[in-house]
Amino acid sequence: GVPVPGPVDGRDLRPLLAGEAAAAADRAIYVESLLPQLNYGWSPLQGLRTQRWKFIRGAEPELYDLDEDPPELRDQAKNRVPVAAEMSSRLASVVESGSSTTARRLEVDAAERSRLAALGYVSLVDDPGPVNDRQVLPDPRQRIVVMERMYNAMTLFAEGDPGGAIEDLEEILAEEPENFSVWASRAEVFFRLGNYQGAADAWGRAARLAPRVSRYAEFEGLALERLGMLEEALGACDRALAIDPDRTSSREFR
């Protein structure tokens, strides 16, 4: 019974819940995950789900028959080429229509940002850039084991084994030297151990690999300040503010 604002992109599902209507068999739902791109520098994922099919566009297209394979274990993109092509075309239409556009950025003050972050509503990642170039970015399906190894490394550190954590992170970096999230994790371990030079170097590398992420430059500045390199620390804060002029923590630190 609540009035629906004009700009809302959706439809009222109350008749379905009340059993007054049947779901449209061909209704397509847009889905996406930018976590691979935002956190690891891998391919972003966009997709379309119908009652039967789920199509995912990433580094490589994926197609799953939800009637026969609900857990999505058997990729049918190469076996059902016409279906994949149709779903890909429908997805392109949704993206081009603008209905999948990421929510515009909302500016809030530091206190409000902290409250929202505590509730889990605020991402700690800055502007990810355009969702494109999938063919030149790693496939998340092939990299999920890397994410698990990162989590395991940080678990080792939390359990009091910093040497094991650093060893694991360095092994990952030997395989994925462009993974800025691993560099940032390495920097965090070094910083907590008091190795501020190692932390500054690692955060600096992360900042260069992810030039849109302001916090890496700020954290590099924090490590440089601990080393007594105040001019360099100011320069790092200035780089953070150049990325995000409204980053309050960078201004306060500066």
Side-chain angles (χ1 to χ4, degrees), residues 82-205:
V83 176
E86 179 190 358
M87 293 289 287
S88 179
S89 178
R90 294 177 70 177
L91 173 61
S93 297
V94 171
V95 173
E96 291 170 4
S97 72
S99 60
S100 65
T101 303
T102 301
R104 63 183 180 274
R105 183 178 178 135
L106 176 66
E107 300 298 340
V108 296
D109 61 33
E112 187 67 17
R113 181 182 177 90
S114 296
R115 287 193 291 270
L116 291 171
L119 293 172
Y121 291 125
V122 177
S123 169
L124 294 179
V125 180
D126 300 82
D127 181 9
V131 183
N132 55 19
D133 296 332
R134 291 175 179 78
Q135 298 302 322
V136 300
L137 295 176
D139 187 342
R141 288 188 296 177
Q142 306 301 323
R143 296 296 195 274
I144 192 167
V145 66
V146 175
M147 183 175 67
E148 293 171 350
R149 289 169 62 191
M150 288 176 57
Y151 290 159
N152 289 338
M154 298 310 289
T155 299
L156 285 176
F157 179 71
E159 293 176 346
D161 184 7
I166 293 173
E167 181 178 352
D168 284 358
L169 292 172
E170 290 181 347
E171 287 180 0
I172 299 172
L173 288 173
E175 301 171 14
E176 285 207 3
E178 306 299 304
N179 191 322
F180 52 82
S181 187
V182 183
W183 282 105
S185 295
R186 186 173 185 263
E188 182 179 352
V189 173
F190 279 150
F191 188 85
R192 293 188 183 185
L193 292 175
N195 182 352
Y196 300 126
Q197 185 63 62
D201 292 343
W203 267 321
R205 181 67 178 271

